[in-house]
């Protein structure tokens, strides 16, 4: 037998084995009936909260938020007309509740009269887990990225200073933008070392910009990121100190996974 015939014979014998293994198998053998997934009533559009979501901002109040700097103080950003607007004087705000793995939807809008350039033009951020005071945590950058040049791992859709977005689907200032995030929290060994890294997938205006990436640790403004053990954590919104006009949010909801 030459080499080609040998290969063919080996293939045929393998197929024969597979056919034998399937003998007597029924279609029902590979059908799953339980457990049944829970019924969830979907929103009218993908932006609307499904029935099992927690409304983090319902358009009326900030009852579920506190100041990052002082958890005993209510978040005092401006709420009007169903919209939440950053109060730069009071600083970052975060949820009272902590989360581990989740799906989150958030809408943000850079004011039409935005001024400034680079990182100082509509800067905010969605901290996917707030691991401490100030800007501690994993920041999904929010910024005017419509014709606004800056470092690419600091533009909208970036995991700040770690991952450049796969595309730039930013809309002009004055228009609403959406983030849909799937967050998998990091896990740690008992000695505090990383067992599994944090992972995130981000859709920006419906466009995939971060595809199940493995974060290097919480956001580090200067230097290399590194992990520190933490448990469930709040969601945080950034009041950035730039001089540009404050941006707004609406329709923030989360589904714990
Ligand atoms: Mg920011």
């Amino acid at each position: 037998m030459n080499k080609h015939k040998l290969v063919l014979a080996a293939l045929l014998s393998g197929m024969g084995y597979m056919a034998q293994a399937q003998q007597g198998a029924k279609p029902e053998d590979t059908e799953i009936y339980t457990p049944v997934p829970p019924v969830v009533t979907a929103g009218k559009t993908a932006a609307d909260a499904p029935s099992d979501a927690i409304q983090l901002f319902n358009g009326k109040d900030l009852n579920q938020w506190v100041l990052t700097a002082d958890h005993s103080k209510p978040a005092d950003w401006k709420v009007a007309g169903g919209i939440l607007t950053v109060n730069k004087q009071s600083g970052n705000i975060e949820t009272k509740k902590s989360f581990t793995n989740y799906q989150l939807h958030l809408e943000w809008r850079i004011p039409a009269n935005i001024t400034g350039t680079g990182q100082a033009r509509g800067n905010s951020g969605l901290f996917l887990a707030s691991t401490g005071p100030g800007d501690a945590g994993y920041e999904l950058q929010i910024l005017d990225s419509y014709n606004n040049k800056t470092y690419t791992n600091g533009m909208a859709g970036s995991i700040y200073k770690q991952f450049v977005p796969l595309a730039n689907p930013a809309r002009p200032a004055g228009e609403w933008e959406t983030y849909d995030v799937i967050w998998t929290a990091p896990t740690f060994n008992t000695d505090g070392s990383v067992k599994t890294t944090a992972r995130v997938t981000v859709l920006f205006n419906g466009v995939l910009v971060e595809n199940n990436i493995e974060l290097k640790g919480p956001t580090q403004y200067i230097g290399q990121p590194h992990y520190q053990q933490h448990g469930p954590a709040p969601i945080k919104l950034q009041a950035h100190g730039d001089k540009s006009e404050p941006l707004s949010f609406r329709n923030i909801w989360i589904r714990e996974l």
Side-chain angles (χ1 to χ4, degrees):
M1 222 184 271
N2 70 28
K3 204 164 90 182
H4 290 105
K5 278 184 178 165
L6 261 173
V7 169
L8 187 63
L11 272 172
L12 285 171
S13 117
M15 284 164 73
Y17 173 77
M18 280 164 67
Q20 205 172 25
Q22 297 282 318
Q23 253 175 25
K26 301 187 192 74
E28 301 83 59
D29 293 347
T30 45
E31 294 171 1
I32 295 169
Y33 286 89
T34 57
V36 178
V39 173
V40 172
T41 307
K44 282 204 180 76
T45 73
D48 298 330
S51 60
D52 63 346
I54 300 169
Q55 285 278 5
L56 292 178
F57 175 60
N58 57 10
K60 297 184 185 99
D61 58 60
L62 281 172
N63 289 347
Q64 301 191 60
W65 300 76
V66 290
L67 288 182
T68 297
D70 184 347
H71 289 185
S72 71
K73 293 201 174 124
D76 63 350
W77 289 11
K78 188 179 150 202
V79 176
I83 294 167
L84 169 64
T85 299
V86 177
N87 176 353
K88 295 206 178 201
Q89 280 69 48
S90 69
N92 296 352
I93 64 171
E94 62 189 47
T95 56
K96 290 178 184 172
K97 191 174 158 62
S98 288
F99 301 93
T100 304
N101 304 326
Y102 59 78
Q103 171 191 355
L104 181 144
H105 175 88
L106 170 143
E107 297 171 27
W108 51 279
R109 185 182 62 186
I110 305 286
N113 62 344
I114 193 74
T115 58
T117 57
Q119 291 290 308
R121 188 178 170 89
N123 198 329
S124 181
L126 168 61
F127 287 89
L128 304 167
S130 172
T131 56
D135 287 345
Y138 309 82
E139 183 182 5
L140 168 59
Q141 177 67 310
I142 293 175
L143 189 75
D144 181 8
S145 285
Y146 189 85
N147 290 334
N148 178 33
K149 203 168 180 185
T150 186
Y151 41 96
T152 55
N153 60 353
M155 62 194 287
S158 70
I159 298 301
Y160 188 73
K161 293 255 176 115
Q162 290 190 32
F163 291 92
V164 177
L166 298 170
N168 179 8
R171 295 181 175 130
E175 293 188 23
W176 285 101
E177 323 234 27
T178 64
Y179 274 161
D180 287 280
V181 177
I182 299 158
W183 170 254
T184 305
T187 60
F188 298 89
N189 297 306
T190 45
D191 67 357
S193 60
V194 178
K195 192 172 179 185
T196 56
T197 61
R199 282 184 290 123
V200 74
T201 295
V202 180
L203 295 160
F204 177 11
N205 293 335
V207 176
L208 184 69
V209 292
E210 302 291 352
N211 187 10
N212 196 28
I213 52 156
E214 296 193 6
L215 277 74
K216 298 169 185 168
T219 298
Q220 197 75 38
Y221 181 48
I222 300 168
Q224 296 303 317
H226 55 90
Y227 278 96
Q228 277 191 309
Q229 188 170 17
H230 66 84
I235 309 293
K236 180 161 66 186
L237 297 176
Q238 187 182 47
H240 193 274
D242 70 29
K243 298 283 182 285
S244 66
E245 293 69 18
L247 66 156
S248 299
F249 296 91
R250 70 177 183 190
N251 197 21
I252 310 172
W253 53 261
I254 192 167
R255 293 182 65 242
E256 295 184 278
L257 302 174

